[in-house]
Amino acid sequence: MSESLWGGAELDLDAYLGRIGYDGSLRPTLDTLRALHRRHLDAIPFENLEIVLGRPVPLDVVSTQAKLVGQRRGGYCFEHNLLFAAVLDRLGYSFTGLASRVRMGVRQLRATTHMLLRVDIAGEDWLADVGFGGDGPLEPIPLRTGSELRHGGWTFDLVEEEPGVFLLRTRHQDGWFDLHAFTLEPRYPVDYGLFNYYTSTHPRSPFTPRIIVQRNGPDVRRTLVGQELRTERPDGSGQRHDVPADELPDVLAKVFGIELGAQDAESIRDRHR
């Protein structure tokens, strides 16, 4: 297989498919994309533990696969979506990298710090994003405006906020909640390297000062931010409670499926305190 921009030739596809528990069709169709998207989110959590511990976040396919697949860890948006891009590349999908400004309900202009993918299937464009975290979509979203989409119990829609600027929203109990805004300007792995450096090292980044671990499914979202563990359901119900430092490794393992070695568990406990 020839070398490609997105690293599909470097991917251990069988190991990835085993990690996400997928044994279906690998033809580059919409059904396959939907199934891979769902299984990836079910299996691999969103987490920033390496960033909190002050470690670099390499984005090459070999390093990312070693962490998310071999070590059965999670990652944040660039790790998830670059690994997913390598999978799509290996399977023969036609796609483009995109980048967005995260809103999370805030209208303040923020830097471009999120990655997603635009996938062309039979002449129709779909947005694939396995790396947004707790509020993100569970399946690919058609790149067209004017319709509401249901993913399990969650509702999403896409609006064109101004010419060429698209806004992805999700419905909360009190109305629409802005997730992120993006244009269709193509982005490449070299671009994400710069975005990743800022997001993983800058003191004003939301990922450097506190733990953020998330897992979302069709009926429940679980999020650990700092010391607070939150469980949320589509009807607005949920629970919140603080996680003491000594309980953190068990919570990571039992709630999010992240098993840490003894040294990392002690380091993350110290950082949590």
Side-chain angles (χ1 to χ4, degrees):
M1 181 178 295
S2 62
E3 184 178 353
S4 70
L5 182 68
W6 298 98
E10 301 174 87
L11 179 77
D12 184 340
L13 182 59
D14 288 341
Y16 172 81
L17 296 175
R19 171 74 164 106
I20 67 171
Y22 180 74
D23 61 359
S25 170
L26 296 179
R27 294 177 57 240
T29 64
L30 178 57
D31 286 343
T32 301
L33 181 65
R34 281 187 172 131
L36 292 172
H37 202 285
R38 279 268 194 171
R39 291 304 307 151
H40 184 112
L41 285 169
D42 286 344
I44 308 178
F46 182 102
E47 52 115 324
N48 71 330
L49 300 182
E50 298 296 289
I51 296 172
V52 170
L53 292 172
R55 297 172 182 165
V57 180
L59 294 182
D60 61 279
V61 172
V62 173
S63 298
T64 304
Q65 181 172 253
K67 180 187 175 192
L68 275 63
V69 176
Q71 299 174 31
R72 304 187 71 81
R73 288 279 305 278
Y76 79 145
C77 75
F78 302 114
E79 296 170 280
H80 278 278
N81 282 324
L82 281 166
L83 179 62
F84 201 65
V87 174
L88 300 187
D89 183 43
R90 180 68 171 272
L91 296 181
Y93 282 92
S94 174
F95 66 93
T96 305
L98 301 178
S100 70
R101 302 179 189 273
V102 175
R103 292 266 183 90
M104 291 304 289
V106 177
R107 294 305 299 265
Q108 174 186 349
L109 183 65
R110 290 173 167 173
T112 300
T113 57
H114 180 62
M115 175 187 179
L116 64 160
L117 300 168
R118 175 185 181 181
V119 187
D120 180 353
I121 300 177
E124 184 173 10
D125 286 333
W126 295 79
L127 300 173
D129 185 357
V130 294
F132 193 78
D135 276 292
L138 301 179
E139 297 182 358
I141 287 180
L143 184 52
R144 60 175 183 264
T145 60
S147 60
E148 295 186 11
L149 304 161
R150 295 282 290 181
H151 292 180
W154 315 102
T155 303
F156 300 88
D157 83 340
L158 188 68
V159 298
E160 191 167 8
E161 195 172 43
E162 57 184 86
V165 178
F166 297 89
L167 174 64
L168 182 65
R169 310 184 298 181
T170 188
R171 189 184 293 279
H172 285 188
Q173 291 300 302
D174 56 354
W176 287 108
F177 182 83
D178 295 352
L179 295 176
H180 61 92
F182 61 94
T183 70
L184 302 183
E185 177 185 355
R187 304 287 186 165
Y188 304 96
V190 65
D191 298 317
Y192 301 125
L194 290 176
F195 302 152
N196 172 59
Y197 181 75
Y198 168 84
T199 308
S200 64
T201 63
H202 197 282
R204 293 184 62 183
S205 166
F207 295 105
T208 55
R210 60 184 179 172
I211 293 169
I212 302 176
V213 187
Q214 299 173 319
R215 201 160 206 167
N216 64 337
D219 302 311
V220 64
R221 291 172 174 154
R222 294 181 174 87
T223 303
L224 177 66
V225 178
Q227 294 184 332
E228 185 179 72
L229 178 64
R230 301 196 298 258
T231 301
E232 177 188 4
R233 299 188 181 279
D235 63 2
S237 64
Q239 300 84 36
R240 300 182 179 214
H241 70 272
D242 286 343
V243 176
D246 288 343
E247 297 177 12
L248 179 60
D250 284 342
V251 168
L252 291 174
K254 293 176 182 178
V255 177
F256 299 102
I258 299 172
E259 299 273 0
L260 297 178
Q263 184 173 347
D264 281 353
E266 185 59 33
S267 296
I268 207 68
R269 272 194 295 260
D270 290 343
R271 184 66 179 85
H272 199 57
R273 293 189 183 102

PDB file of all heavy atoms in Angstrom, residues 139-173:
ATOM      1  N   GLU A 139     -23.336   9.606  15.631  1.00  0.00           N
ATOM      2  CA  GLU A 139     -23.238   9.130  14.261  1.00  0.00           C
ATOM      3  C   GLU A 139     -22.827  10.279  13.347  1.00  0.00           C
ATOM      4  O   GLU A 139     -22.905  11.447  13.735  1.00  0.00           O
ATOM      5  CB  GLU A 139     -24.589   8.575  13.788  1.00  0.00           C
ATOM      6  CG  GLU A 139     -25.078   7.367  14.553  1.00  0.00           C
ATOM      7  CD  GLU A 139     -26.400   6.851  14.001  1.00  0.00           C
ATOM      8  OE1 GLU A 139     -26.931   7.468  13.044  1.00  0.00           O
ATOM      9  OE2 GLU A 139     -26.890   5.841  14.518  1.00  0.00           O
ATOM     10  N   PRO A 140     -22.403   9.959  12.127  1.00  0.00           N
ATOM     11  CA  PRO A 140     -22.140  11.028  11.162  1.00  0.00           C
ATOM     12  C   PRO A 140     -23.392  11.874  10.931  1.00  0.00           C
ATOM     13  O   PRO A 140     -24.520  11.384  11.003  1.00  0.00           O
ATOM     14  CB  PRO A 140     -21.747  10.266   9.894  1.00  0.00           C
ATOM     15  CG  PRO A 140     -21.300   8.923  10.378  1.00  0.00           C
ATOM     16  CD  PRO A 140     -22.124   8.621  11.582  1.00  0.00           C
ATOM     17  N   ILE A 141     -23.175  13.146  10.631  1.00  0.00           N
ATOM     18  CA  ILE A 141     -24.259  14.100  10.415  1.00  0.00           C
ATOM     19  C   ILE A 141     -24.203  14.579   8.971  1.00  0.00           C
ATOM     20  O   ILE A 141     -23.135  14.974   8.486  1.00  0.00           O
ATOM     21  CB  ILE A 141     -24.132  15.283  11.395  1.00  0.00           C
ATOM     22  CG1 ILE A 141     -24.523  14.812  12.794  1.00  0.00           C
ATOM     23  CG2 ILE A 141     -24.973  16.465  10.955  1.00  0.00           C
ATOM     24  CD1 ILE A 141     -24.452  15.879  13.849  1.00  0.00           C
ATOM     25  N   PRO A 142     -25.321  14.576   8.250  1.00  0.00           N
ATOM     26  CA  PRO A 142     -25.296  15.067   6.876  1.00  0.00           C
ATOM     27  C   PRO A 142     -24.956  16.559   6.841  1.00  0.00           C
ATOM     28  O   PRO A 142     -25.447  17.333   7.655  1.00  0.00           O
ATOM     29  CB  PRO A 142     -26.711  14.791   6.367  1.00  0.00           C
ATOM     30  CG  PRO A 142     -27.553  14.662   7.597  1.00  0.00           C
ATOM     31  CD  PRO A 142     -26.654  14.114   8.660  1.00  0.00           C
ATOM     32  N   LEU A 143     -24.125  16.944   5.901  1.00  0.00           N
ATOM     33  CA  LEU A 143     -23.716  18.334   5.779  1.00  0.00           C
ATOM     34  C   LEU A 143     -24.786  19.092   4.992  1.00  0.00           C
ATOM     35  O   LEU A 143     -24.613  19.498   3.851  1.00  0.00           O
ATOM     36  CB  LEU A 143     -22.354  18.449   5.106  1.00  0.00           C
ATOM     37  CG  LEU A 143     -21.736  19.840   4.982  1.00  0.00           C
ATOM     38  CD1 LEU A 143     -21.716  20.550   6.325  1.00  0.00           C
ATOM     39  CD2 LEU A 143     -20.349  19.759   4.393  1.00  0.00           C
ATOM     40  N   ARG A 144     -25.929  19.250   5.635  1.00  0.00           N
ATOM     41  CA  ARG A 144     -27.024  20.030   5.080  1.00  0.00           C
ATOM     42  C   ARG A 144     -27.816  20.608   6.247  1.00  0.00           C
ATOM     43  O   ARG A 144     -27.879  20.020   7.326  1.00  0.00           O
ATOM     44  CB  ARG A 144     -27.918  19.193   4.167  1.00  0.00           C
ATOM     45  CG  ARG A 144     -28.574  17.998   4.838  1.00  0.00           C
ATOM     46  CD  ARG A 144     -29.534  17.285   3.897  1.00  0.00           C
ATOM     47  NE  ARG A 144     -30.219  16.178   4.559  1.00  0.00           N
ATOM     48  CZ  ARG A 144     -29.824  14.917   4.492  1.00  0.00           C
ATOM     49  NH1 ARG A 144     -28.738  14.606   3.796  1.00  0.00           N
ATOM     50  NH2 ARG A 144     -30.506  13.971   5.116  1.00  0.00           N
ATOM     51  N   THR A 145     -28.403  21.745   6.026  1.00  0.00           N
ATOM     52  CA  THR A 145     -29.104  22.451   7.089  1.00  0.00           C
ATOM     53  C   THR A 145     -30.605  22.224   6.989  1.00  0.00           C
ATOM     54  O   THR A 145     -31.122  21.774   5.966  1.00  0.00           O
ATOM     55  CB  THR A 145     -28.806  23.956   7.020  1.00  0.00           C
ATOM     56  OG1 THR A 145     -29.246  24.458   5.744  1.00  0.00           O
ATOM     57  CG2 THR A 145     -27.313  24.218   7.168  1.00  0.00           C
ATOM     58  N   GLY A 146     -31.289  22.524   8.097  1.00  0.00           N
ATOM     59  CA  GLY A 146     -32.747  22.541   8.060  1.00  0.00           C
ATOM     60  C   GLY A 146     -33.446  21.306   8.566  1.00  0.00           C
ATOM     61  O   GLY A 146     -34.670  21.191   8.409  1.00  0.00           O
ATOM     62  N   SER A 147     -32.734  20.364   9.178  1.00  0.00           N
ATOM     63  CA  SER A 147     -33.415  19.176   9.701  1.00  0.00           C
ATOM     64  C   SER A 147     -32.826  18.794  11.047  1.00  0.00           C
ATOM     65  O   SER A 147     -31.635  18.948  11.282  1.00  0.00           O
ATOM     66  CB  SER A 147     -33.297  18.003   8.721  1.00  0.00           C
ATOM     67  OG  SER A 147     -31.947  17.662   8.504  1.00  0.00           O
ATOM     68  N   GLU A 148     -33.691  18.310  11.928  1.00  0.00           N
ATOM     69  CA  GLU A 148     -33.254  17.815  13.226  1.00  0.00           C
ATOM     70  C   GLU A 148     -32.901  16.335  13.115  1.00  0.00           C
ATOM     71  O   GLU A 148     -33.527  15.594  12.370  1.00  0.00           O
ATOM     72  CB  GLU A 148     -34.338  18.022  14.282  1.00  0.00           C
ATOM     73  CG  GLU A 148     -34.634  19.475  14.576  1.00  0.00           C
ATOM     74  CD  GLU A 148     -35.595  19.651  15.729  1.00  0.00           C
ATOM     75  OE1 GLU A 148     -35.879  18.651  16.433  1.00  0.00           O
ATOM     76  OE2 GLU A 148     -36.063  20.786  15.943  1.00  0.00           O
ATOM     77  N   LEU A 149     -31.892  15.917  13.877  1.00  0.00           N
ATOM     78  CA  LEU A 149     -31.403  14.544  13.833  1.00  0.00           C
ATOM     79  C   LEU A 149     -31.435  13.955  15.229  1.00  0.00           C
ATOM     80  O   LEU A 149     -31.030  14.618  16.194  1.00  0.00           O
ATOM     81  CB  LEU A 149     -29.964  14.523  13.301  1.00  0.00           C
ATOM     82  CG  LEU A 149     -29.758  15.177  11.928  1.00  0.00           C
ATOM     83  CD1 LEU A 149     -28.300  15.516  11.720  1.00  0.00           C
ATOM     84  CD2 LEU A 149     -30.249  14.251  10.843  1.00  0.00           C
ATOM     85  N   ARG A 150     -31.889  12.732  15.334  1.00  0.00           N
ATOM     86  CA  ARG A 150     -31.935  12.035  16.624  1.00  0.00           C
ATOM     87  C   ARG A 150     -30.855  10.969  16.661  1.00  0.00           C
ATOM     88  O   ARG A 150     -30.781  10.105  15.778  1.00  0.00           O
ATOM     89  CB  ARG A 150     -33.298  11.388  16.830  1.00  0.00           C
ATOM     90  CG  ARG A 150     -34.441  12.362  16.944  1.00  0.00           C
ATOM     91  CD  ARG A 150     -34.527  13.002  18.299  1.00  0.00           C
ATOM     92  NE  ARG A 150     -34.946  12.065  19.326  1.00  0.00           N
ATOM     93  CZ  ARG A 150     -35.126  12.383  20.617  1.00  0.00           C
ATOM     94  NH1 ARG A 150     -34.876  13.621  21.015  1.00  0.00           N
ATOM     95  NH2 ARG A 150     -35.501  11.486  21.483  1.00  0.00           N
ATOM     96  N   HIS A 151     -30.001  11.041  17.689  1.00  0.00           N
ATOM     97  CA  HIS A 151     -29.001  10.011  17.944  1.00  0.00           C
ATOM     98  C   HIS A 151     -29.324   9.431  19.314  1.00  0.00           C
ATOM     99  O   HIS A 151     -28.979  10.025  20.343  1.00  0.00           O
ATOM    100  CB  HIS A 151     -27.588  10.599  17.940  1.00  0.00           C
ATOM    101  CG  HIS A 151     -27.138  11.083  16.593  1.00  0.00           C
ATOM    102  ND1 HIS A 151     -25.898  11.641  16.386  1.00  0.00           N
ATOM    103  CD2 HIS A 151     -27.754  11.064  15.383  1.00  0.00           C
ATOM    104  CE1 HIS A 151     -25.778  11.965  15.111  1.00  0.00           C
ATOM    105  NE2 HIS A 151     -26.887  11.625  14.489  1.00  0.00           N
ATOM    106  N   GLY A 152     -29.982   8.289  19.344  1.00  0.00           N
ATOM    107  CA  GLY A 152     -30.476   7.800  20.616  1.00  0.00           C
ATOM    108  C   GLY A 152     -31.476   8.810  21.165  1.00  0.00           C
ATOM    109  O   GLY A 152     -32.407   9.226  20.475  1.00  0.00           O
ATOM    110  N   GLY A 153     -31.258   9.234  22.408  1.00  0.00           N
ATOM    111  CA  GLY A 153     -32.148  10.210  23.020  1.00  0.00           C
ATOM    112  C   GLY A 153     -31.747  11.647  22.794  1.00  0.00           C
ATOM    113  O   GLY A 153     -32.407  12.562  23.300  1.00  0.00           O
ATOM    114  N   TRP A 154     -30.686  11.895  22.032  1.00  0.00           N
ATOM    115  CA  TRP A 154     -30.147  13.246  21.866  1.00  0.00           C
ATOM    116  C   TRP A 154     -30.544  13.811  20.508  1.00  0.00           C
ATOM    117  O   TRP A 154     -30.626  13.081  19.517  1.00  0.00           O
ATOM    118  CB  TRP A 154     -28.625  13.222  22.002  1.00  0.00           C
ATOM    119  CG  TRP A 154     -28.144  12.398  23.155  1.00  0.00           C
ATOM    120  CD1 TRP A 154     -27.622  11.136  23.097  1.00  0.00           C
ATOM    121  CD2 TRP A 154     -28.179  12.746  24.545  1.00  0.00           C
ATOM    122  NE1 TRP A 154     -27.308  10.689  24.359  1.00  0.00           N
ATOM    123  CE2 TRP A 154     -27.644  11.652  25.270  1.00  0.00           C
ATOM    124  CE3 TRP A 154     -28.592  13.873  25.239  1.00  0.00           C
ATOM    125  CZ2 TRP A 154     -27.513  11.656  26.653  1.00  0.00           C
ATOM    126  CZ3 TRP A 154     -28.473  13.885  26.619  1.00  0.00           C
ATOM    127  CH2 TRP A 154     -27.943  12.780  27.311  1.00  0.00           C
ATOM    128  N   THR A 155     -30.741  15.133  20.455  1.00  0.00           N
ATOM    129  CA  THR A 155     -31.165  15.807  19.233  1.00  0.00           C
ATOM    130  C   THR A 155     -30.109  16.813  18.789  1.00  0.00           C
ATOM    131  O   THR A 155     -29.572  17.562  19.619  1.00  0.00           O
ATOM    132  CB  THR A 155     -32.504  16.534  19.445  1.00  0.00           C
ATOM    133  OG1 THR A 155     -33.484  15.594  19.889  1.00  0.00           O
ATOM    134  CG2 THR A 155     -32.987  17.188  18.160  1.00  0.00           C
ATOM    135  N   PHE A 156     -29.825  16.847  17.494  1.00  0.00           N
ATOM    136  CA  PHE A 156     -28.845  17.757  16.914  1.00  0.00           C
ATOM    137  C   PHE A 156     -29.449  18.450  15.699  1.00  0.00           C
ATOM    138  O   PHE A 156     -30.391  17.947  15.081  1.00  0.00           O
ATOM    139  CB  PHE A 156     -27.588  16.996  16.470  1.00  0.00           C
ATOM    140  CG  PHE A 156     -26.878  16.275  17.569  1.00  0.00           C
ATOM    141  CD1 PHE A 156     -27.243  14.975  17.911  1.00  0.00           C
ATOM    142  CD2 PHE A 156     -25.854  16.890  18.280  1.00  0.00           C
ATOM    143  CE1 PHE A 156     -26.595  14.300  18.936  1.00  0.00           C
ATOM    144  CE2 PHE A 156     -25.207  16.226  19.308  1.00  0.00           C
ATOM    145  CZ  PHE A 156     -25.573  14.932  19.633  1.00  0.00           C
ATOM    146  N   ASP A 157     -28.885  19.604  15.346  1.00  0.00           N
ATOM    147  CA  ASP A 157     -29.157  20.181  14.039  1.00  0.00           C
ATOM    148  C   ASP A 157     -27.969  21.020  13.596  1.00  0.00           C
ATOM    149  O   ASP A 157     -27.078  21.344  14.384  1.00  0.00           O
ATOM    150  CB  ASP A 157     -30.475  20.952  14.000  1.00  0.00           C
ATOM    151  CG  ASP A 157     -30.373  22.375  14.507  1.00  0.00           C
ATOM    152  OD1 ASP A 157     -29.417  22.709  15.234  1.00  0.00           O
ATOM    153  OD2 ASP A 157     -31.262  23.182  14.176  1.00  0.00           O
ATOM    154  N   LEU A 158     -27.954  21.317  12.292  1.00  0.00           N
ATOM    155  CA  LEU A 158     -26.876  22.081  11.689  1.00  0.00           C
ATOM    156  C   LEU A 158     -27.493  23.302  11.019  1.00  0.00           C
ATOM    157  O   LEU A 158     -28.446  23.171  10.248  1.00  0.00           O
ATOM    158  CB  LEU A 158     -26.146  21.218  10.656  1.00  0.00           C
ATOM    159  CG  LEU A 158     -24.866  21.787  10.048  1.00  0.00           C
ATOM    160  CD1 LEU A 158     -23.759  21.877  11.091  1.00  0.00           C
ATOM    161  CD2 LEU A 158     -24.402  20.914   8.885  1.00  0.00           C
ATOM    162  N   VAL A 159     -26.957  24.477  11.339  1.00  0.00           N
ATOM    163  CA  VAL A 159     -27.444  25.711  10.731  1.00  0.00           C
ATOM    164  C   VAL A 159     -26.270  26.430  10.074  1.00  0.00           C
ATOM    165  O   VAL A 159     -25.122  26.288  10.496  1.00  0.00           O
ATOM    166  CB  VAL A 159     -28.114  26.638  11.769  1.00  0.00           C
ATOM    167  CG1 VAL A 159     -29.334  25.971  12.384  1.00  0.00           C
ATOM    168  CG2 VAL A 159     -27.143  27.052  12.862  1.00  0.00           C
ATOM    169  N   GLU A 160     -26.572  27.185   9.026  1.00  0.00           N
ATOM    170  CA  GLU A 160     -25.556  28.028   8.401  1.00  0.00           C
ATOM    171  C   GLU A 160     -25.693  29.407   9.028  1.00  0.00           C
ATOM    172  O   GLU A 160     -26.588  30.187   8.686  1.00  0.00           O
ATOM    173  CB  GLU A 160     -25.716  28.076   6.890  1.00  0.00           C
ATOM    174  CG  GLU A 160     -24.526  28.721   6.200  1.00  0.00           C
ATOM    175  CD  GLU A 160     -24.504  28.495   4.698  1.00  0.00           C
ATOM    176  OE1 GLU A 160     -25.502  27.955   4.166  1.00  0.00           O
ATOM    177  OE2 GLU A 160     -23.491  28.841   4.052  1.00  0.00           O
ATOM    178  N   GLU A 161     -24.823  29.700   9.973  1.00  0.00           N
ATOM    179  CA  GLU A 161     -24.933  30.910  10.784  1.00  0.00           C
ATOM    180  C   GLU A 161     -24.711  32.173   9.949  1.00  0.00           C
ATOM    181  O   GLU A 161     -25.354  33.193  10.169  1.00  0.00           O
ATOM    182  CB  GLU A 161     -23.918  30.838  11.923  1.00  0.00           C
ATOM    183  CG  GLU A 161     -24.134  31.827  13.027  1.00  0.00           C
ATOM    184  CD  GLU A 161     -23.203  31.553  14.193  1.00  0.00           C
ATOM    185  OE1 GLU A 161     -22.013  31.274  13.961  1.00  0.00           O
ATOM    186  OE2 GLU A 161     -23.677  31.623  15.337  1.00  0.00           O
ATOM    187  N   GLU A 162     -23.790  32.101   9.036  1.00  0.00           N
ATOM    188  CA  GLU A 162     -23.532  33.138   8.045  1.00  0.00           C
ATOM    189  C   GLU A 162     -22.949  32.420   6.838  1.00  0.00           C
ATOM    190  O   GLU A 162     -22.589  31.244   6.931  1.00  0.00           O
ATOM    191  CB  GLU A 162     -22.585  34.204   8.586  1.00  0.00           C
ATOM    192  CG  GLU A 162     -21.243  33.678   9.067  1.00  0.00           C
ATOM    193  CD  GLU A 162     -20.390  34.762   9.691  1.00  0.00           C
ATOM    194  OE1 GLU A 162     -20.554  35.012  10.901  1.00  0.00           O
ATOM    195  OE2 GLU A 162     -19.582  35.354   8.951  1.00  0.00           O
ATOM    196  N   PRO A 163     -22.878  33.083   5.677  1.00  0.00           N
ATOM    197  CA  PRO A 163     -22.404  32.360   4.497  1.00  0.00           C
ATOM    198  C   PRO A 163     -21.062  31.660   4.721  1.00  0.00           C
ATOM    199  O   PRO A 163     -20.072  32.288   5.072  1.00  0.00           O
ATOM    200  CB  PRO A 163     -22.291  33.463   3.444  1.00  0.00           C
ATOM    201  CG  PRO A 163     -23.311  34.462   3.843  1.00  0.00           C
ATOM    202  CD  PRO A 163     -23.295  34.468   5.353  1.00  0.00           C
ATOM    203  N   GLY A 164     -21.073  30.335   4.581  1.00  0.00           N
ATOM    204  CA  GLY A 164     -19.851  29.557   4.720  1.00  0.00           C
ATOM    205  C   GLY A 164     -19.468  29.180   6.134  1.00  0.00           C
ATOM    206  O   GLY A 164     -18.453  28.502   6.330  1.00  0.00           O
ATOM    207  N   VAL A 165     -20.255  29.592   7.131  1.00  0.00           N
ATOM    208  CA  VAL A 165     -19.969  29.255   8.530  1.00  0.00           C
ATOM    209  C   VAL A 165     -21.117  28.407   9.069  1.00  0.00           C
ATOM    210  O   VAL A 165     -22.260  28.872   9.150  1.00  0.00           O
ATOM    211  CB  VAL A 165     -19.781  30.506   9.411  1.00  0.00           C
ATOM    212  CG1 VAL A 165     -19.524  30.099  10.863  1.00  0.00           C
ATOM    213  CG2 VAL A 165     -18.631  31.361   8.887  1.00  0.00           C
ATOM    214  N   PHE A 166     -20.813  27.175   9.430  1.00  0.00           N
ATOM    215  CA  PHE A 166     -21.825  26.229   9.890  1.00  0.00           C
ATOM    216  C   PHE A 166     -21.714  26.034  11.397  1.00  0.00           C
ATOM    217  O   PHE A 166     -20.612  25.982  11.947  1.00  0.00           O
ATOM    218  CB  PHE A 166     -21.654  24.886   9.176  1.00  0.00           C
ATOM    219  CG  PHE A 166     -21.862  24.979   7.699  1.00  0.00           C
ATOM    220  CD1 PHE A 166     -20.796  25.266   6.852  1.00  0.00           C
ATOM    221  CD2 PHE A 166     -23.115  24.796   7.154  1.00  0.00           C
ATOM    222  CE1 PHE A 166     -20.977  25.360   5.483  1.00  0.00           C
ATOM    223  CE2 PHE A 166     -23.316  24.886   5.780  1.00  0.00           C
ATOM    224  CZ  PHE A 166     -22.247  25.177   4.954  1.00  0.00           C
ATOM    225  N   LEU A 167     -22.861  25.907  12.050  1.00  0.00           N
ATOM    226  CA  LEU A 167     -22.930  25.759  13.499  1.00  0.00           C
ATOM    227  C   LEU A 167     -23.668  24.471  13.840  1.00  0.00           C
ATOM    228  O   LEU A 167     -24.808  24.271  13.419  1.00  0.00           O
ATOM    229  CB  LEU A 167     -23.660  26.948  14.118  1.00  0.00           C
ATOM    230  CG  LEU A 167     -23.951  26.887  15.621  1.00  0.00           C
ATOM    231  CD1 LEU A 167     -22.663  26.878  16.432  1.00  0.00           C
ATOM    232  CD2 LEU A 167     -24.843  28.052  16.040  1.00  0.00           C
ATOM    233  N   LEU A 168     -23.001  23.598  14.593  1.00  0.00           N
ATOM    234  CA  LEU A 168     -23.632  22.378  15.084  1.00  0.00           C
ATOM    235  C   LEU A 168     -24.184  22.643  16.473  1.00  0.00           C
ATOM    236  O   LEU A 168     -23.474  23.173  17.341  1.00  0.00           O
ATOM    237  CB  LEU A 168     -22.633  21.222  15.127  1.00  0.00           C
ATOM    238  CG  LEU A 168     -23.209  19.875  15.591  1.00  0.00           C
ATOM    239  CD1 LEU A 168     -24.246  19.344  14.608  1.00  0.00           C
ATOM    240  CD2 LEU A 168     -22.100  18.849  15.812  1.00  0.00           C
ATOM    241  N   ARG A 169     -25.457  22.278  16.679  1.00  0.00           N
ATOM    242  CA  ARG A 169     -26.125  22.509  17.955  1.00  0.00           C
ATOM    243  C   ARG A 169     -26.736  21.205  18.463  1.00  0.00           C
ATOM    244  O   ARG A 169     -27.015  20.290  17.685  1.00  0.00           O
ATOM    245  CB  ARG A 169     -27.243  23.548  17.814  1.00  0.00           C
ATOM    246  CG  ARG A 169     -26.834  24.824  17.113  1.00  0.00           C
ATOM    247  CD  ARG A 169     -27.966  25.850  17.105  1.00  0.00           C
ATOM    248  NE  ARG A 169     -29.131  25.354  16.369  1.00  0.00           N
ATOM    249  CZ  ARG A 169     -30.253  26.066  16.205  1.00  0.00           C
ATOM    250  NH1 ARG A 169     -30.349  27.282  16.736  1.00  0.00           N
ATOM    251  NH2 ARG A 169     -31.281  25.562  15.527  1.00  0.00           N
ATOM    252  N   THR A 170     -26.951  21.159  19.770  1.00  0.00           N
ATOM    253  CA  THR A 170     -27.693  20.054  20.367  1.00  0.00           C
ATOM    254  C   THR A 170     -28.781  20.635  21.253  1.00  0.00           C
ATOM    255  O   THR A 170     -28.644  21.755  21.780  1.00  0.00           O
ATOM    256  CB  THR A 170     -26.760  19.122  21.165  1.00  0.00           C
ATOM    257  OG1 THR A 170     -27.479  17.960  21.580  1.00  0.00           O
ATOM    258  CG2 THR A 170     -26.209  19.803  22.412  1.00  0.00           C
ATOM    259  N   ARG A 171     -29.873  19.909  21.413  1.00  0.00           N
ATOM    260  CA  ARG A 171     -30.986  20.426  22.195  1.00  0.00           C
ATOM    261  C   ARG A 171     -30.814  20.051  23.664  1.00  0.00           C
ATOM    262  O   ARG A 171     -30.689  18.873  24.001  1.00  0.00           O
ATOM    263  CB  ARG A 171     -32.324  19.895  21.681  1.00  0.00           C
ATOM    264  CG  ARG A 171     -33.525  20.578  22.338  1.00  0.00           C
ATOM    265  CD  ARG A 171     -34.831  19.970  21.892  1.00  0.00           C
ATOM    266  NE  ARG A 171     -35.124  20.210  20.501  1.00  0.00           N
ATOM    267  CZ  ARG A 171     -35.640  21.344  20.024  1.00  0.00           C
ATOM    268  NH1 ARG A 171     -35.869  22.355  20.836  1.00  0.00           N
ATOM    269  NH2 ARG A 171     -35.901  21.465  18.730  1.00  0.00           N
ATOM    270  N   HIS A 172     -30.805  21.072  24.528  1.00  0.00           N
ATOM    271  CA  HIS A 172     -30.858  20.889  25.977  1.00  0.00           C
ATOM    272  C   HIS A 172     -32.278  21.168  26.456  1.00  0.00           C
ATOM    273  O   HIS A 172     -33.140  21.572  25.675  1.00  0.00           O
ATOM    274  CB  HIS A 172     -29.861  21.814  26.665  1.00  0.00           C
ATOM    275  CG  HIS A 172     -28.429  21.353  26.539  1.00  0.00           C
ATOM    276  ND1 HIS A 172     -27.387  21.951  27.214  1.00  0.00           N
ATOM    277  CD2 HIS A 172     -27.861  20.339  25.829  1.00  0.00           C
ATOM    278  CE1 HIS A 172     -26.250  21.350  26.916  1.00  0.00           C
ATOM    279  NE2 HIS A 172     -26.510  20.369  26.082  1.00  0.00           N
ATOM    280  N   GLN A 173     -32.507  20.977  27.728  1.00  0.00           N
ATOM    281  CA  GLN A 173     -33.852  21.182  28.266  1.00  0.00           C
ATOM    282  C   GLN A 173     -34.337  22.619  28.102  1.00  0.00           C
ATOM    283  O   GLN A 173     -35.532  22.864  27.984  1.00  0.00           O
ATOM    284  CB  GLN A 173     -33.878  20.783  29.747  1.00  0.00           C
ATOM    285  CG  GLN A 173     -33.720  19.300  29.983  1.00  0.00           C
ATOM    286  CD  GLN A 173     -34.811  18.486  29.318  1.00  0.00           C
ATOM    287  OE1 GLN A 173     -35.992  18.691  29.594  1.00  0.00           O
ATOM    288  NE2 GLN A 173     -34.434  17.572  28.431  1.00  0.00           N
TER     289      GLN A 173
END
